Amino acid sequence: MTQRVIYTLNSQGILGCVPECIIVKVDKDGEFQIDYTIITDKDKKYYENLLDEIDLVLLQCCSQLHIDKIRTLIPDKNIDSWESIKEKYFSPTKRLVSSRNNSVKEYLLDYVSRIQNKFFEHLSGKPFYFPQGRFSFTWQALKIEMDIPELFYCFDYANDSITYSLDIKCRNQPLKLEGGILVSRDRARVMLHNKIYEFEENIDGIKLFAFLSKENIVIPQKNVTSYFDNIIRPLVKSNRVIPKGFDIDIISEIDSAILEVRELGAATQMSLFEDSGETHAQSIIFDLVFKYGDFKYWASQQGFCSKFNKENYNITYIERDKNSENQFISTLKEIGIDINGQSLKMNYFDGVEWLNQNHKKIESAGIDIQFKRSTNESVRYFMGERNIKVEVKENNDWFDIYGTVFFGKYEIPFLQILNYIRHNKRMILLPNGEYAQIPQKWIDEYSSLIQLSEIENEGVIIRKHYAVLLNEFSKKPDFSVNMRENLRYLIEHSNDVDFDLPTLFNGTLRSYQKEGYNWLRLLDELNMGGCLADDMGLGKTIQTLCLIQYLKEQGRQTSLLIVPTSLVYNWQQEAAKFTPDLEVYVHVGNDRTKNCNDFANANIILTSYAILRRDKQLFSSMAFEYMILDEAQAIKNPRSAITQICLSIKSKHFLTLTGTPIENSLSDLWSQVHFFNRGMLGSERSFTKNCKIPEKQALYKQLLKPFLLRRNKSEVLTDLPEKTIIVQQCKMSEEQEQQYRDIRNSYRDKFIENVDSNKRVNAIVLLEGLLRLRQISNHPSMVDKDYSGSSGKYDMATQMMSDVINQGDKVLVFSSFVEHLKIYRHYLDMQDINYCYIDGSTKNRQEQVDLFQNSDDYQVFLLSLKAGGTGLNLTRASYVFLLDPWWNPASEAQAYDRAHRIGQKNDVFVYKFITQNTIEEKILKLQERKLSLSNAILENDASIVKQLDIDEVMKLLE
């Protein structure tokens, strides 16, 4: 009998859970015994041999949340339990009228949350449980879900009431909170079954508490107005509100920066361009003001603003662009005035002189000057020749634009003309006092250049990712562009460029894959990012690995590769196959390093989005050669935490890989482009707004073309085989792996006990054991109905299924098990996706086939291997998913031949899903070893395994 340190969580309702440190007795099999001891910080001296440094920190947290400690923090000495604390300070039926009690309540909330967070920050790897029943052996083991759920607040305004619900997804699956237990409020953690889900740091657990007992909240008509104003409007700042029945207009871009000039006293005349006349004013007041729509903010004025319109129940929210505001403030400071949070007062004559000397610099910085003057002077207009000459020279990351505008004998800097057009000013004052009108032709021709150019060091520049636009301007007689040849290759999609493959790349690229590699090399040479958006199955992985192998051979720095959790092992396998020379550091698991020095020898650091969120500080301390996002639709929400983390990582180059660059809206695309070429599409608000204008759509399409490489199957049909079979490796989740290990060990003993004299295993026992192992390889819930954990294969298959649907293709999904298909039916039902279905009990088979073949609304067909593997013509499918391998490869071939047959116009991609380190890998090897048996097309499924002796059986279980 030995002793072990564990931790328990005890629910205290709206306050969350308080932890306890427990010493339990365990037998030789690791089972808990009846006796256990709760220890506190005072008792640690008796258990020093059991406690490590982390335990000491956790034990301190437990002691700080013990009721004895809490009582010392409360002025009411009659409080003697958590129940009495909750009753006095947190009861939903009581309203605290005493300011003192309110202060105690807020102090307790802050104190408890702080200690809870410290506890969970140090808990990693320690066993912890939720007590159920008196005895420790009945307690439920807990684990922390590595993926952080994505949460949105949904408000549906209809029929004069509001229905409030939560939209939560984890691992791309819906997550319902009903039946859960609040673990902590700040940050929010919720216990569901045996898992604790940690939410983003800015989510308050109190906002989730009501949904632990109900799916939605209905706000009646009488409370709707106040609910909009007091609850929904403040939540808009979180960027997590999904409105229905009303609109939220988010304004995050400065419409204009204005230098307001006011007089103290009256002036007879004031000119920003000429000598000032007589004046009686004493002072001039300067204010810097930023306009966002109808809202105005003074420089460094704090706070954000939202407005609720009671007439149409719409909300306008201003998301201040503090970076741009600070840039305007800094620019004025460089020019000579410091306006930061207060008005600046100057002597009248000094103020006028300063404006005369600096107005061009101010306007060149994009700041409007608003100053009213009164004058009876008549206006004279320029009449004469107007010409423009522009020269563009390539620099490292941008182009410098030099130009001169001629109004008769007067030369005006091109920069000044650009700023006048940018601010919708048509008239420019010439040195002789005449006003010259800027031609409409110039405004039309240069509007796109004006939108995309920037002012830097009193010069005009345009970023290199707008080179395609400059290439068009170079065709104008008054516009010359100096541009490198390989940049022209990129923007013109020229086939004249052909780079050698890296020496140690172990593979052959198809012609379109070689073109993709050439494109990646061009981007690399030009120091620009891009998105490889080929259809699923066309080899985005191999093209990317080829590039990284080249980087290694050039002695370049480490690259960071971020992939979904379900694809980590697949990338690891592909790298081992095609680029075995690469040092791939796989950064996953609870025991992963916290020291960036451990990455020193890696060419690629391979990790998941979930781990990146948790280790953001570790990765933020490093700088990479490339940061590459696979399945980059993960950053489709520009405001999500994972997107912000990805944007914060330092790297020389950025790439995204995805088969679905647009999943739901244009902001999906904006977010990815902003990642790999920062600022290229402007602000999200302007991009989504401008995309509604046909002319702007054409401009964006033109700008994006060089940086988004997308080939679909029909485009490269001549380069593809008729049928491609891909073994899709899947890694088990931790809880799935434990289930598999337990069942495997159990049946291994049974097999040995049931061996006959010829070393043959009892066929019934053998088939039963192998069946259970195959089922767990698919999803443990097929064996254990109470299983609530995840499945690596399920996560990967549903993600790929979603990719196929989003790219507009159709997929056949085969399984040997009807129970397995039911799991995917549930997934499709939850996602509200139409599908067809056939198993042995289906009566309307032809109706299902016709629906799949003739309707674009049905992209998924679920079929059992036996019922759907023969006699069906399903040529609308381009993809076939074989969810579980069968002993006889001929049965699998019959399944994918449903799609790959006469009448099929598209190439077919067959994915065989194999769970790593399970019976499924052994089945593949067995198919090879027993090829002669397979070719004979066995009489029944059991015959192949009946011929196995005990040695072969044990190899299956290794």
Side-chain angles (χ1 to χ4, degrees):
M1 199 76 66
T2 59
Q3 291 181 314
R4 181 184 301 172
V5 179
I6 67 168
Y7 297 88
T8 61
L9 298 179
N10 300 282
S11 175
Q12 301 302 337
I14 201 168
L15 280 164
C17 292
V18 279
E20 288 184 330
C21 183
I22 309 288
I23 302 294
V24 294
K25 292 182 178 179
V26 295
D27 62 18
K28 60 182 179 61
D29 296 322
E31 297 293 332
F32 290 180
Q33 301 303 292
I34 295 177
D35 296 334
Y36 63 89
T37 304
I38 301 173
I39 65 171
T40 64
D41 207 30
K42 299 176 183 178
D43 310 319
K44 63 184 179 184
K45 59 184 177 182
Y46 302 114
Y47 302 97
E48 289 181 347
N49 61 317
L50 299 176
L51 302 172
D52 58 24
E53 292 184 6
I54 294 177
D55 286 315
L56 293 175
V57 175
L58 296 174
L59 177 57
Q60 183 186 43
C61 293
C62 295
S63 297
Q64 289 173 326
L65 289 177
H66 192 274
I67 188 60
D68 291 342
K69 173 63 176 177
I70 298 297
R71 287 175 60 191
T72 66
L73 307 176
I74 299 174
D76 187 348
K77 299 308 176 184
N78 294 323
I79 296 291
D80 60 356
S81 67
W82 279 107
E83 293 304 319
S84 54
I85 290 174
K86 290 184 286 184
E87 174 63 25
K88 180 165 185 175
Y89 298 104
F90 298 96
S91 173
T93 60
K94 282 190 176 182
R95 182 180 178 185
L96 296 180
V97 293
S98 165
S99 61
R100 183 183 186 188
N101 284 352
N102 268 313
S103 298
V104 172
K105 175 182 177 179
E106 294 304 317
Y107 174 77
L108 278 176
L109 286 175
D110 178 70
Y111 177 84
V112 171
S113 295
R114 182 160 41 85
I115 305 303
Q116 286 170 333
N117 287 334
K118 182 179 179 181
F119 178 81
F120 280 100
E121 285 168 5
H122 291 83
L123 184 61
S124 178
K126 294 292 183 180
F128 65 116
Y129 297 79
F130 186 70
Q132 292 177 317
R134 285 183 57 193
F135 304 114
S136 57
F137 54 77
T138 65
W139 295 351
Q140 181 180 21
L142 301 176
K143 64 172 294 185
I144 295 177
E145 168 60 50
M146 294 303 295
D147 278 58
I148 297 177
E150 188 173 41
L151 177 146
F152 293 95
Y153 307 106
C154 303
F155 297 97
D156 185 355
Y157 174 59
N159 300 322
D160 295 325
S161 66
I162 300 172
T163 302
Y164 174 23
S165 61
L166 300 179
D167 179 9
I168 307 176
K169 283 188 173 63
C170 186
R171 296 179 181 265
N172 292 319
Q173 307 302 317
L175 184 66
K176 299 294 184 184
L177 298 185
E178 287 181 87
I181 294 172
L182 184 66
V183 175
S184 61
R185 292 174 53 138
D186 180 26
R187 82 195 239 186
R189 295 178 179 88
V190 172
M191 183 193 310
L192 283 168
H193 306 298
N194 66 331
K195 277 188 182 178
I196 291 180
Y197 294 86
E198 294 184 340
F199 289 80
E200 301 287 359
E201 294 177 4
N202 60 348
I203 294 177
D204 187 349
I206 194 61
K207 292 183 172 61
L208 312 183
F209 190 72
F211 296 97
L212 302 179
S213 57
K214 62 182 75 173
E215 187 171 352
N216 55 57
I217 301 170
V218 177
I219 313 303
Q221 180 180 359
K222 65 178 182 178
N223 298 329
V224 163
T225 300
S226 62
Y227 203 82
F228 262 109
D229 205 17
N230 299 322
I231 303 298
I232 302 178
R233 184 174 61 83
L235 271 179
V236 170
K237 184 179 178 181
S238 70
N239 290 312
R240 297 179 182 279
V241 174
I242 297 179
K244 187 176 181 182
F246 65 100
D247 291 326
I248 296 175
D249 183 19
I250 298 178
I251 301 176
S252 57
E253 183 177 3
I254 299 175
D255 289 331
S256 60
I258 303 166
L259 181 63
E260 290 188 347
V261 184
R262 296 182 285 117
E263 299 175 352
L264 286 181
T268 58
Q269 183 177 353
M270 174 63 68
S271 170
L272 300 181
F273 308 100
E274 306 167 29
D275 292 335
S276 59
E278 184 181 358
T279 179
H280 301 288
Q282 296 178 347
S283 304
I284 287 181
I285 304 297
F286 295 96
D287 287 299
L288 180 59
V289 178
F290 304 110
K291 285 195 68 178
Y292 294 81
D294 296 330
F295 297 80
K296 293 174 67 175
Y297 297 90
W298 273 255
S300 294
Q301 175 185 353
Q302 297 301 311
F304 294 78
C305 183
S306 56
K307 181 174 70 175
F308 168 54
N309 188 327
K310 296 182 180 180
E311 295 180 2
N312 57 15
Y313 289 101
N314 287 350
I315 296 173
T316 302
Y317 171 64
I318 308 302
E319 191 176 71
R320 300 274 294 277
D321 184 353
K322 298 301 292 185
N323 289 334
S324 296
E325 289 185 16
N326 290 334
Q327 184 62 48
F328 284 121
I329 293 170
S330 298
T331 300
L332 280 182
K333 190 172 182 179
E334 291 172 4
I335 295 173
I337 59 173
D338 188 1
I339 301 181
N340 194 349
Q342 59 184 358
S343 299
L344 179 67
K345 183 179 178 181
M346 294 180 68
N347 174 275
Y348 184 83
F349 291 105
D350 292 340
V352 173
E353 181 62 25
W354 184 84
L355 284 171
N356 273 288
Q357 291 179 359
N358 294 289
H359 73 90
K360 290 182 180 179
K361 293 181 179 179
I362 296 170
E363 291 177 336
S364 296
I367 301 173
D368 289 334
I369 301 173
Q370 287 190 0
F371 182 37
K372 293 182 180 180
R373 61 175 180 171
S374 59
T375 177
N376 296 319
E377 181 184 7
S378 61
V379 177
R380 294 179 292 119
Y381 293 99
F382 167 81
M383 302 292 291
E385 287 190 14
R386 297 170 297 186
N387 297 304
I388 188 168
K389 294 290 183 184
V390 179
E391 182 182 7
V392 179
K393 295 182 179 180
E394 185 177 355
N395 210 310
N396 291 330
D397 296 320
W398 65 85
F399 292 91
D400 292 304
I401 303 177
Y402 306 93
T404 305
V405 181
F406 298 92
F407 290 96
K409 65 179 182 179
Y410 298 110
E411 296 183 12
I412 306 297
F414 185 57
L415 166 61
Q416 189 172 348
I417 296 297
L418 287 184
N419 275 302
Y420 269 64
I421 296 175
R422 179 180 279 127
H423 294 96
N424 297 316
K425 295 180 179 180
R426 294 291 304 275
M427 308 296 291
I428 183 169
L429 183 64
L430 300 178
N432 65 352
E434 294 180 334
Y435 281 91
Q437 180 172 301
I438 299 173
Q440 183 64 43
K441 180 182 177 182
W442 292 0
I443 297 174
D444 295 339
E445 286 184 349
Y446 292 102
S447 61
S448 57
L449 183 65
I450 291 165
Q451 292 173 37
L452 302 176
S453 62
E454 302 173 37
I455 310 302
E456 193 167 283
N457 298 325
E458 297 188 28
V460 186
I461 67 168
I462 188 167
R463 300 292 171 186
K464 192 169 288 185
H465 45 231
Y466 299 131
V468 64
L469 182 65
L470 294 177
N471 198 44
E472 293 298 315
F473 274 108
S474 67
K475 300 171 185 177
K476 298 179 181 293
D478 53 5
F479 206 105
S480 64
V481 179
N482 177 13
M483 185 184 298
R484 280 187 289 170
E485 199 64 30
N486 57 359
L487 185 53
R488 291 193 189 274
Y489 287 150
L490 178 72
I491 62 182
E492 294 174 0
H493 287 271
S494 171
N495 290 323
D496 292 341
V497 62
D498 187 21
F499 294 98
D500 292 334
L501 293 179
T503 305
L504 297 179
F505 178 72
N506 184 28
T508 303
L509 297 183
R510 301 184 185 278
S511 60
Y512 71 89
Q513 292 172 333
K514 183 59 164 59
E515 289 175 10
Y517 170 73
N518 290 336
W519 177 76
L520 291 172
R521 285 287 304 276
L522 270 179
L523 289 177
D524 180 71
E525 289 208 347
L526 297 168
N527 196 31
M528 290 191 280
C531 173
L532 182 56
D534 287 343
D535 267 358
M536 190 173 78
L538 296 190
K540 294 187 288 292
T541 302
I542 189 174
Q543 295 171 68
T544 306
L545 288 171
C546 193
L547 172 69
I548 299 174
Q549 178 65 43
Y550 161 76
L551 298 176
K552 176 180 181 178
E553 294 180 11
Q554 296 300 308
R556 306 268 284 271
Q557 288 178 253
T558 303
S559 294
L560 177 63
L561 176 59
I562 314 297
V563 308
T565 303
S566 58
L567 294 181
V568 171
Y569 180 70
N570 186 64
W571 271 94
Q572 189 179 6
Q573 291 288 94
E574 294 293 280
K577 178 179 178 181
F578 294 108
T579 52
D581 183 53
L582 289 180
E583 291 291 334
V584 181
Y585 189 104
V586 182
H587 183 71
V588 296
N590 288 328
D591 58 347
R592 62 189 183 277
T593 184
K594 301 297 183 182
N595 186 353
C596 61
N597 293 329
D598 292 337
F599 303 140
N601 298 322
N603 303 124
I604 308 176
I605 300 173
L606 174 60
T607 190
S608 68
Y609 289 99
I611 298 299
L612 178 65
R613 282 192 193 182
R614 296 185 176 278
D615 293 354
K616 58 185 177 183
Q617 292 183 339
L618 174 67
F619 289 113
S620 295
S621 67
M622 304 175 65
F624 299 97
E625 186 72 35
Y626 267 82
M627 183 176 181
I628 304 172
L629 305 184
D630 188 21
E631 300 295 344
Q633 62 271 21
I635 63 164
K636 65 184 179 183
N637 180 358
R639 297 175 182 81
S640 70
I642 190 62
T643 303
Q644 295 304 312
I645 293 169
C646 288
L647 290 172
S648 70
I649 304 298
K650 296 182 285 291
S651 180
K652 295 179 182 177
H653 308 268
F654 300 90
L655 282 178
T656 64
L657 313 175
T658 178
T660 51
I662 299 180
E663 270 195 338
N664 300 317
S665 66
L666 289 170
S667 63
D668 299 355
L669 178 61
W670 181 90
S671 186
Q672 291 193 51
V673 176
H674 184 64
F675 170 78
F676 63 72
N677 280 334
R678 307 294 163 89
M680 178 176 170
L681 296 180
S683 70
E684 178 198 1
R685 179 174 176 245
S686 64
F687 174 69
T688 53
K689 181 180 179 181
N690 289 338
C691 278
K692 299 173 183 177
I693 306 170
E695 294 81 6
K696 299 288 188 183
Q697 288 180 3
L699 174 62
Y700 287 136
K701 184 177 181 180
Q702 183 184 24
L703 293 177
L704 282 172
K705 190 174 181 181
F707 306 106
L708 198 153
L709 183 62
R710 178 163 179 78
R711 281 82 57 88
N712 57 46
K713 295 182 297 298
S714 61
E715 290 176 330
V716 293
L717 189 62
T718 56
D719 297 320
L720 287 172
E722 292 183 350
K723 176 177 61 187
T724 303
I725 299 177
I726 302 165
V727 175
Q728 188 68 47
Q729 296 278 357
C730 312
K731 187 175 182 179
M732 286 188 283
S733 64
E734 290 181 16
E735 55 267 66
Q736 182 183 15
E737 190 171 5
Q738 182 61 51
Q739 287 263 17
Y740 187 90
R741 191 182 300 117
D742 293 343
I743 293 292
R744 181 192 61 190
N745 293 342
S746 171
Y747 275 97
R748 177 185 286 163
D749 295 339
K750 289 184 180 180
F751 294 158
I752 294 174
E753 293 171 2
N754 290 272
V755 176
D756 62 20
S757 58
N758 295 321
K759 294 184 65 179
R760 298 288 177 192
V761 180
N762 182 288
I764 296 177
V765 176
L766 175 58
L767 290 173
E768 178 189 351
L770 298 184
L771 173 65
R772 295 290 175 261
L773 293 176
R774 291 178 60 215
Q775 289 174 323
I776 293 175
S777 301
N778 289 324
H779 203 298
S781 63
M782 296 175 66
V783 175
D784 179 4
K785 299 301 181 185
D786 296 327
Y787 179 80
S788 60
S790 61
S791 157
K793 179 184 291 188
Y794 173 81
D795 290 344
M796 179 172 287
T798 52
Q799 175 64 53
M800 293 176 62
M801 194 184 301
S802 176
D803 291 344
V804 171
I805 293 170
N806 287 328
Q807 68 189 30
D809 287 315
K810 294 199 173 200
V811 58
L812 308 180
V813 182
F814 285 96
S815 176
S816 309
F817 305 98
V818 173
E819 288 298 315
H820 196 195
L821 293 177
K822 287 181 180 179
I823 296 173
Y824 289 85
R825 292 186 75 172
H826 177 70
Y827 165 77
L828 295 169
D829 289 336
M830 293 295 292
Q831 298 294 317
D832 198 24
I833 297 172
N834 294 327
Y835 61 92
C836 299
Y837 180 85
I838 286 180
D839 65 20
S841 63
T842 303
K843 304 299 182 186
N844 59 338
R845 288 168 57 97
Q846 192 57 46
E847 180 183 328
Q848 293 292 298
V849 171
D850 293 342
L851 198 60
F852 183 78
Q853 288 288 92
N854 301 323
S855 174
D856 292 335
D857 295 332
Y858 291 80
Q859 293 177 255
V860 181
F861 204 145
L862 302 177
L863 307 103
S864 69
L865 192 65
K866 288 189 175 182
T870 57
L872 300 178
N873 187 346
L874 301 170
T875 54
R876 285 293 303 278
S878 300
Y879 291 87
V880 180
F881 289 180
L882 300 174
L883 294 179
D884 34 70
W886 196 237
W887 305 104
N888 185 358
S891 297
E892 294 180 350
Q894 285 182 334
Y896 53 69
D897 280 345
R898 300 311 95 216
H900 185 247
R901 57 197 301 111
I902 295 174
Q904 174 62 267
K905 297 180 180 179
N906 301 316
D907 284 14
V908 175
F909 293 83
V910 180
Y911 284 87
K912 298 174 67 170
F913 289 84
I914 302 297
T915 303
Q916 175 195 5
N917 297 327
T918 69
I919 187 73
E920 293 187 337
E921 284 189 331
K922 311 303 188 297
I923 290 175
L924 285 186
K925 295 178 181 178
L926 185 65
Q927 285 178 347
E928 298 171 2
R929 295 204 308 267
K930 300 290 182 177
L931 187 59
S932 59
L933 295 175
S934 299
N935 290 338
I937 306 184
L938 306 174
E939 291 297 324
N940 59 68
D941 298 325
S943 59
I944 190 169
V945 293
K946 286 180 180 179
Q947 299 179 47
L948 301 177
D949 62 28
I950 186 62
D951 295 330
E952 290 176 308
V953 169
M954 298 312 286
K955 287 180 180 178
L956 289 175
L957 301 180
E958 289 176 355

